[in-house]
Amino acid sequence: MKQGHTEPGCSIAFLGMDGVGKSTLAQELERRLTQRGRPVALLSRREYLKKQPDGFAGATITGLYEGSLRTLYGFAGLGDGGTLGERFPPPPADLMARDFEMLLDGAEITSNDPRALTASMLCEIAGHMMFRTAVVLPAVAQGQVVIEDTHGIKMVVKQYLLATSLLAPGDPLQARLDAVLELALELLRPADAASSLAVVVHTEPEIAYERRIRQKGRVGGMEHYGPVGRAADRDSYLDLQSSSQKIFDRIGDRWDCLRADLTDAQDQEQLTSTRRAVDDILAAVERLRDGRGHGATTGSPVAPTTEGVNQ
């Protein structure tokens, strides 16, 4: 590289079900890019918020994250007739604190409000737009390869499925939920094909579940239908994850994403699949750097609709 010359930066974000292997891919990609001498930033909004960022941007991103959490869980009904929001600490509380996480995980939720979940989707969309504007894009402008181990659309898709599960057939709110998801697909899509890349990661839900249990001993609070009053068990996890993956696959077509298949269940086979997927992503990064686009070939670019997602 010539002295004083900065190679163009780019952003890479992964989407796929919980436990599919997004973080594993992101970490291996970071390692390989660092070996090549590329400046790399592995970012996530959650880790960013744990550092309690200050300034206007930090306060705004924090506020939107808290708004998403409060509307997602605050109207959840409890067995005693109250709501979970009545047990929330008042602002300004640290909703990233372990005590608050334990409150959410331990709550015996019996119901939820789909309108509140719709509001939560909107907060989530706005939060990820701000994170990209204030954190991701400035790093790309400085020539960094920015890796997001989870694309912002993932949480929106899960909120959408949770809310939809509460509706009776023909409920007019379904059309509004579809409209919010459609808005998210437009606002959160990679803005510039010359400098951004999304990767859809795929595996079978049963494999993802087993990986999750091996990693953490349990599944997370937003990885099943528990937040809307259903059982927080294996079947609930498999149901939410398989429905999520169907939407991610459609997003992959719409956004012209790269694909990474980590279906191999055995450790050595999974390692081979991870390396092969990272090789493909590195080749796409080189094409971005050379101005040739990432070269994904994923089928029809025609936008899928959300119709039939829950059928």
Side-chain angles (χ1 to χ4, degrees):
M1 183 186 305
K2 294 181 181 179
Q3 186 173 4
H5 172 71
T6 301
E7 291 190 47
C10 66
S11 64
I12 304 161
F14 295 92
L15 59 154
M17 72 180 80
D18 296 301
V20 71
K22 299 183 299 294
S23 295
T24 299
L25 280 173
Q27 291 164 9
E28 176 64 12
L29 181 60
E30 179 191 28
R31 185 186 71 82
R32 299 270 296 275
L33 283 167
T34 300
Q35 286 181 338
R36 295 185 176 196
R38 296 294 299 273
V40 184
L42 181 57
L43 301 178
S44 78
R45 188 174 62 138
R46 184 171 178 81
E47 292 304 315
Y48 170 82
L49 290 171
K50 284 182 178 180
K51 297 176 182 178
Q52 298 183 327
D54 55 12
F56 164 75
T60 302
I61 296 169
T62 299
L64 290 167
Y65 174 81
E66 293 183 349
S68 177
L69 268 184
R70 289 183 183 277
T71 48
L72 171 61
Y73 285 101
F75 293 85
L78 301 176
D80 61 6
T83 62
L84 186 53
E86 294 169 350
R87 303 183 183 182
F88 282 10
D94 181 10
L95 299 192
M96 300 295 294
R98 177 59 180 161
D99 288 348
F100 186 72
E101 184 177 336
M102 291 175 64
L103 170 66
L104 298 183
D105 287 348
E108 296 183 2
I109 296 174
T110 58
S111 64
N112 211 323
D113 189 326
R115 293 163 297 183
L117 292 170
T118 306
S120 186
M121 290 173 69
L122 291 167
C123 290
E124 197 70 21
I125 294 167
H128 281 286
M129 289 180 67
M130 276 299 303
F131 181 70
R132 182 165 183 81
T133 299
V135 181
V136 175
L137 292 181
V140 171
Q142 294 171 2
Q144 291 185 297
V145 178
V146 176
I147 303 171
E148 293 183 82
D149 62 5
T150 300
H151 192 287
I153 195 67
K154 187 188 99 168
M155 184 64 170
V156 179
V157 166
K158 291 197 292 184
Q159 291 166 322
Y160 168 84
L161 290 169
L162 290 173
T164 296
S165 73
L166 296 169
L167 302 181
D171 192 311
L173 184 55
Q174 183 64 62
R176 300 174 187 176
L177 280 168
D178 292 346
V180 175
L181 181 59
E182 176 65 25
L183 177 68
L185 294 180
E186 285 303 309
L187 293 178
L188 299 183
R189 71 183 302 156
D192 182 2
S195 63
S196 56
L197 170 65
V199 182
V200 176
V201 189
H202 182 80
T203 192
E204 296 301 322
E206 294 81 4
I207 294 175
Y209 178 81
E210 295 302 324
R211 288 176 185 166
R212 218 43 161 184
I213 296 301
R214 288 201 305 269
Q215 291 168 349
K216 299 184 177 181
R218 63 183 182 89
V219 297
M222 268 296 294
E223 298 181 358
H224 46 66
Y225 279 99
V228 293
R230 287 174 53 181
D233 56 13
R234 180 179 183 273
D235 289 342
S236 182
Y237 171 93
L238 296 178
D239 190 1
L240 180 62
Q241 300 306 323
S242 60
S243 296
S244 297
Q245 191 64 47
K246 290 177 183 177
I247 300 180
F248 296 143
D249 288 339
R250 295 178 185 179
I251 293 172
D253 290 335
R254 179 167 179 163
W255 288 359
D256 195 26
C257 296
L258 284 180
R259 308 280 181 161
D261 189 348
L262 300 185
T263 302
D264 295 326
Q266 300 302 318
D267 290 342
Q268 188 57 45
E269 293 174 340
Q270 183 183 348
L271 180 60
T272 300
S273 296
T274 298
R275 289 173 175 169
R276 183 168 57 245
V278 170
D279 286 341
D280 291 341
I281 297 168
L282 287 171
V285 170
E286 292 304 310
R287 288 191 292 269
L288 287 176
R289 184 179 67 173
D290 296 339
R292 293 180 285 135
H294 59 69
T297 54
T298 57
S300 172
V302 177
T305 68
T306 55
E307 181 180 355
V309 163
N310 306 291
Q311 297 178 0

